[in-house]
Amino acid sequence: MKKTTTFLLLMVTFFAAAQQETIDQKVNALLKKMTIEEKIGQLNQYSNDNSITGPITINPNKQTEIKNGLVGSMLNVTGVESTRNYQKLAMQSRLKIPMLFGQDVIHGYKTTFPLPLAEAASWDLEAIELAARVAATEAAASGIHWTFAPMVDIGRDPRWGRVMEGAGEDTYLASKIAYARVKGFQGNKLGDLNSVMACVKHFAAYGAAVGGRDYNSVDMSERMLWETYLPPFKAALDAGAATFMNSFNDLNGIPATGNVHLQRDILKGKWNFQGFVVSDWGSIGEMVAHGYSKDLKAAALSAITAGSDMDMESVAYKNNLAQLVKEGKVSIDLVDDAVKRILRKKFELGLFDDPYRYSDEKRAEKALNNPENRKAALEVAQKSIVLLKNENQTLPLSKNLKTIAFIGPMVKEYKENMGFWSVELPNVDYNKWIVSQWDGLQNKVGKNTKLLYAKGCEVEGDNKDGFAEAVATAKQADVVILSIGEKRDMSGEAKSRSDIHLPGVQEDLVKAIQATGKPVVVLINAGRPLVFNWTADNVPAIVYTWWLGTEAGNAIANVLFGDYNPSGKLPMTFPREVGQIPIYYNHFSTGRPAKDENQNNYVSAYIDLKNSPKFAFGHGLSYTKFDYSGMKLSSTKMKNNETIKVSFQLSNVGKAAGEEVVQLYLKDKFGSVVRPVLELRDFQKVKLNAGESKTIEFTIDKEKLSFYNDKLEWTAEPGDFEVMIGASSADIKLKSDFELVQ
């Protein structure tokens, strides 16, 4: 049996290699037929004029250029009919090379899932992969070959609007999520009709933009780059990601788009990436504004030399590459390498066999209206909700309540629930497609419960005219639910905020409602961590709902009434004030660490603010209670080639079934370089019925103890370690020590 299995594996490997060889032969044969202009055309990407996600290049000759084979791909072309019509133009070209169609399918296509940061709060890798799988199925059926996702940038600064698009502040968690998302988007293999190419972005270190200001500079050490910011990219590559996108920022003075170290040395060199790299929108041309390139011609030279294969919307390659080759400044081998990388993906997708295979009306109709997709959206949305606070068992709400007041500017909104980076399709009535929070509550309560509504105020502005009605409405109710937060377009690209407090007079509305003496539950809708100190300190129950997508209303209602027990945990630290930012749990210690929150004299502390966050990384409550006990280590000493088993008992000692994300943290007590105060190194999401107990086991190996030393060597140093098991980074339940020996 073993010999048969080995033989079959060898045959599968052989046929896979033979198929790749065949594709490479086809690519090389086609390349020989191409003129320099046609080659450069494959590197040229335009946006559809009808959909704007950046400053569109106005080009009245766009269709003519497609017919002449001078456009290799397009973005923002939505729907079967549009993709088919554009592809027909490409089929009129001399060599009939099909175009690629890309789209920002970030958290869903027609069925919108929670924001990526919200999904990260689920800590549920299967759910996250499912969300990407559904998005890919819908997008691929609509003519899309390629999604500009996942974004895997580490985000430690909530002022940066694009934190909504990533997986938070932790490298370990973000790497696991990056892998899951790539697998979800790409499915079993490229070329399947329910698969789209993933595009891992933004390479690299974009999440560390100075001041949290979008498109800004990044300055960091090589060790920080390798240890914190690069691992999620490597995880996505290991998952088989087809493409990468470079980032807008400069890294240590070199724009990422023209950065040889990032793209040639690391990505295509050390990591041996075989896919292609696309610029971000106009980022090749933006190297002129950076002050790095004299003009577009110089920018094209820098970008192609550095390894940027495809030019999104700056036309730097289209207008300059041929001349650069003619002048001998760019080797034709560089151009050919970029073209081959792109053509290879077109062959893998099967577009040369059938350019229209992804543009099928019947398949699109079925995929876009599959009821299972809504079920998946509800499942993921529920898992993404984080219960921040729940005093006096305010939640879950009783279904026997006679009167509920639902107050706030978000209550009856529909499209707001989609959040930023959502796809808006023509001919979709989103007021019917999306479940609003009001609709969700109506669907949940019985006929004997009366729902009252008042808007109270707008999200922005200082108008309090609606307060009196809101207070009067609250006084009539048994319980008040307040839905507040950001607008959906207040977080996202180009949405950096210097002030991340609750906008407008919303917190004043909370104060007015709280003063009625009624039990109050606050829902906070946002794409980033916000600051809401008065609410956090005074309101008994707070639910962080982020933006949850198509099934938002039903998901929120299920959590409020206990039909789903919340299990989300924060993937980012929530600051007390903007002055703490950047703030993250796995910081280094200092020579003068504060011993407690009250010590601030000649130690590393603020004199006007506590060091600790408002809500810690990994925090999230449940309607039940979990007990951690009986921690055991299989050994207290470990060699490099050995492992230690860590086990403990997790018990549900409450009255409801629930899920707990148990988190394993490690601390390297002494190192050749300073190490973080603690680091997430594993986690499990465990479901237990009321009264149930389970033995949980983790394995510690050399990899979990390794880090980059001052010579950028990935190593584990002998010494003392502390292992911690917790419900969050600030709620450590169990501790023990062990030693790594030579």
Side-chain angles (χ1 to χ4, degrees):
M1 181 66 184
K2 186 175 181 180
K3 290 183 178 179
T4 303
T5 303
T6 303
F7 174 76
L8 290 173
L9 287 172
L10 288 171
M11 292 301 293
V12 169
T13 304
F14 170 78
F15 284 120
Q19 182 186 31
Q20 187 61 47
E21 183 181 8
T22 302
I23 288 177
D24 287 342
Q25 288 174 341
K26 291 178 179 178
V27 168
N28 290 329
L30 179 57
L31 194 70
K32 291 178 182 178
K33 300 176 184 179
M34 298 173 72
T35 65
I36 183 66
E37 289 77 18
E38 287 169 331
K39 290 178 180 179
I40 294 168
Q42 289 302 300
L43 314 184
N44 183 32
Q45 183 181 69
Y46 285 142
S47 175
N48 185 19
D49 294 346
N50 298 326
S51 183
I52 300 174
T53 54
I56 286 177
T57 302
I58 303 300
N59 183 358
N61 299 317
K62 196 173 290 186
Q63 293 192 5
T64 301
E65 290 182 15
I66 295 172
K67 292 179 184 179
N68 291 334
L70 303 181
V71 183
S73 68
M74 293 190 71
L75 70 155
N76 294 327
V77 180
T78 304
V80 168
E81 183 179 359
S82 295
T83 54
R84 179 174 285 270
N85 288 340
Y86 271 115
Q87 198 71 286
K88 285 179 180 178
L89 296 176
M91 289 302 100
Q92 297 177 43
S93 64
R94 184 178 74 91
L95 295 175
K96 295 180 171 50
I97 300 175
M99 287 197 300
L100 290 171
F101 295 107
Q103 182 78 39
D104 285 290
V105 184
I106 307 300
H107 55 111
Y109 190 68
K110 181 184 180 184
T111 305
T112 307
F113 285 81
L115 301 173
L117 185 62
E119 287 182 2
S122 74
W123 293 55
D124 191 317
L125 300 178
E126 289 184 4
I128 291 168
E129 183 174 338
L130 174 65
R133 186 88 291 276
V134 171
T137 301
E138 293 186 352
S142 304
I144 302 300
H145 311 130
W146 183 20
T147 174
F148 301 121
M151 190 195 93
V152 303
D153 298 307
I154 295 298
R156 292 175 162 183
D157 190 334
R159 294 172 299 180
W160 188 48
R162 299 197 81 162
V163 297
M164 57 73 54
E165 203 176 336
E169 72 187 46
D170 183 70
T171 302
Y172 182 85
L173 177 61
S175 296
K176 293 293 186 183
I177 290 173
Y179 191 96
R181 285 186 169 138
V182 170
K183 287 296 186 184
F185 285 129
Q186 296 192 171
N188 293 326
K189 65 180 178 67
L190 294 183
D192 286 351
L193 290 176
N194 61 359
S195 169
V196 294
M197 294 194 300
C199 186
V200 189
K201 62 185 188 184
H202 306 84
F203 200 66
Y206 190 24
V210 173
R213 200 171 76 237
D214 217 349
Y215 317 118
N216 207 3
S217 297
V218 172
D219 191 12
M220 68 169 56
S221 69
E222 275 286 294
R223 190 163 70 87
M224 179 70 77
L225 177 68
W226 278 95
E227 194 162 283
T228 302
Y229 288 87
L230 288 183
F233 290 96
K234 183 59 166 60
L237 187 149
D238 290 342
T243 69
F244 269 58
M245 178 185 289
N246 52 45
S247 53
F248 287 117
N249 58 282
D250 71 85
L251 178 62
N252 301 330
I254 310 295
T257 309
N259 198 307
V260 174
H261 178 53
L262 285 176
Q263 295 173 100
R264 292 286 183 200
D265 297 346
I266 297 174
L267 182 59
K268 294 180 176 180
K270 186 178 180 68
W271 291 354
N272 194 31
F273 174 59
Q274 296 298 305
F276 68 85
V277 178
V278 61
S279 78
D280 208 335
W281 190 297
S283 67
I284 294 178
E286 289 176 12
M287 287 195 288
V288 177
H290 272 287
Y292 184 75
S293 300
K294 179 180 179 181
D295 50 28
L296 278 183
K297 185 177 180 181
L301 172 61
S302 292
I304 196 71
T305 302
S308 293
D309 300 307
M310 184 180 287
D311 176 6
M312 182 192 291
E313 273 288 313
S314 81
V315 299
Y317 285 177
K318 172 183 172 291
N319 294 339
N320 297 284
L321 260 188
Q323 184 63 30
L324 287 166
V325 171
K326 184 177 180 180
E327 294 172 357
K329 295 178 179 178
V330 170
S331 168
I332 190 64
D333 292 341
L334 286 183
V335 177
D336 285 351
D337 177 66
V339 175
K340 284 195 285 188
R341 289 170 179 270
I342 294 164
L343 291 178
R344 192 177 294 121
K345 294 307 172 190
K346 292 184 177 184
F347 275 108
E348 289 177 9
L349 290 170
L351 295 177
F352 283 95
D353 297 324
D354 180 2
Y356 310 106
R357 65 195 301 260
Y358 290 87
S359 302
D360 186 305
E361 288 282 3
K362 290 183 179 179
R363 191 168 70 248
E365 177 68 21
K366 183 178 180 180
L368 296 181
N369 295 286
N370 183 350
E372 293 302 312
N373 295 352
R374 293 193 75 107
K375 292 180 182 178
L378 176 60
E379 176 188 345
V380 179
Q382 291 174 160
K383 291 182 175 184
S384 301
I385 293 171
V386 182
L387 179 62
L388 291 182
K389 185 180 179 183
N390 190 27
E391 289 182 348
N392 305 319
Q393 295 183 314
T394 303
L395 291 174
L397 299 177
S398 168
K399 293 178 181 177
N400 297 320
L401 289 168
K402 292 184 179 180
T403 307
I404 299 173
F406 206 176
I407 294 171
M410 305 301 188
V411 172
K412 292 193 174 183
E413 294 292 334
Y414 286 91
K415 288 172 70 172
E416 289 292 322
N417 292 289
M418 295 171 71
F420 199 79
W421 276 131
S422 53
V423 179
E424 292 190 32
L425 301 177
N427 305 317
V428 176
D429 185 348
Y430 286 98
N431 287 356
K432 294 180 179 178
W433 178 248
I434 297 169
V435 182
S436 73
Q437 296 173 26
W438 177 259
D439 293 340
L441 213 64
Q442 282 192 315
N443 295 340
K444 180 61 59 177
V445 299
K447 296 179 180 179
N448 295 326
T449 301
K450 185 177 182 181
L451 287 183
L452 305 177
Y453 166 72
K455 189 171 186 177
C457 65
E458 301 293 341
V459 172
E460 298 178 278
D462 56 5
N463 191 327
K464 298 183 179 181
D465 291 349
F467 277 30
E469 180 191 6
V471 169
T473 302
K475 287 180 177 179
Q476 300 175 53
D478 299 313
V479 67
V480 182
I481 305 170
L482 268 169
S483 186
I484 58 176
E486 295 182 311
K487 290 182 178 179
R488 68 170 176 147
D489 62 357
M490 293 176 76
S491 287
E493 184 176 353
K495 307 299 178 186
S496 298
R497 291 177 58 195
S498 65
D499 182 355
I500 58 170
H501 286 81
L502 277 170
V505 294
Q506 292 180 98
E507 197 151 40
D508 289 338
L509 177 63
V510 176
K511 294 176 182 178
I513 300 302
Q514 179 72 8
T516 65
K518 298 289 184 177
V520 176
V521 178
V522 169
L523 312 178
I524 299 181
N525 309 264
R528 52 153 61 91
L530 295 176
V531 175
F532 44 94
N533 288 318
W534 192 94
T535 299
D537 292 340
N538 293 280
V539 172
I542 303 171
V543 183
Y544 219 78
T545 62
W546 315 96
W547 289 118
L548 295 173
T550 302
E551 284 287 321
N554 287 334
I556 291 169
N558 283 347
V559 166
L560 289 176
F561 286 92
D563 290 327
Y564 182 83
N565 189 349
S567 60
K569 301 274 190 175
L570 296 179
M572 281 189 77
T573 301
F574 278 44
R576 295 177 182 275
E577 290 291 349
V578 175
Q580 285 183 304
I581 298 171
I583 182 171
Y584 45 94
Y585 84 94
N586 53 345
H587 57 84
F588 295 150
S589 187
T590 74
R592 294 189 179 188
K595 294 179 181 179
D596 57 53
E597 293 283 55
N598 299 316
Q599 186 186 23
N600 59 17
N601 192 31
Y602 293 105
V603 294
S604 182
Y606 301 102
I607 63 172
D608 60 346
L609 188 68
K610 293 180 179 180
N611 277 8
S612 64
K614 197 67 181 179
F615 297 103
F617 171 84
H619 171 74
L621 305 177
S622 170
Y623 293 151
T624 192
K625 184 179 180 181
F626 295 97
D627 180 67
Y628 294 65
S629 64
M631 184 178 187
K632 296 178 182 178
L633 272 61
S634 60
S635 176
T636 57
K637 293 186 184 295
M638 170 184 156
K639 294 180 181 179
N640 275 337
N641 61 347
E642 296 176 338
T643 62
I644 288 178
K645 301 290 185 182
V646 180
S647 62
F648 67 96
Q649 193 86 350
L650 182 70
S651 302
N652 183 344
V653 295
K655 298 180 180 179
E659 291 178 286
E660 174 74 329
V661 179
V662 293
Q663 302 157 43
L664 181 143
Y665 295 90
L666 291 173
K667 179 179 181 179
D668 190 343
K669 294 186 176 182
F670 307 98
S672 60
V673 294
V674 176
R675 305 299 302 132
V677 293
L678 75 169
E679 297 176 278
L680 181 73
R681 280 292 177 259
D682 212 339
F683 65 89
Q684 293 182 36
K685 192 162 190 176
V686 184
K687 185 173 184 177
L688 295 176
N689 293 320
E692 184 181 3
S693 296
K694 185 176 181 180
T695 298
I696 309 300
E697 186 174 276
F698 291 104
T699 300
I700 299 174
D701 57 14
K702 177 185 175 183
E703 187 70 14
K704 287 187 170 66
L705 305 180
S706 296
F707 62 95
Y708 285 98
N709 63 19
D710 60 339
K711 297 177 182 178
L712 287 184
E713 297 167 330
W714 182 247
T715 185
E717 296 177 347
D720 297 328
F721 291 82
E722 184 175 29
V723 56
M724 294 160 273
I725 303 293
S728 80
S729 60
D731 187 11
I732 301 300
K733 305 290 189 179
L734 304 167
K735 296 180 181 181
S736 190
D737 294 324
F738 66 94
E739 182 183 3
L740 180 65
V741 298
Q742 291 283 13

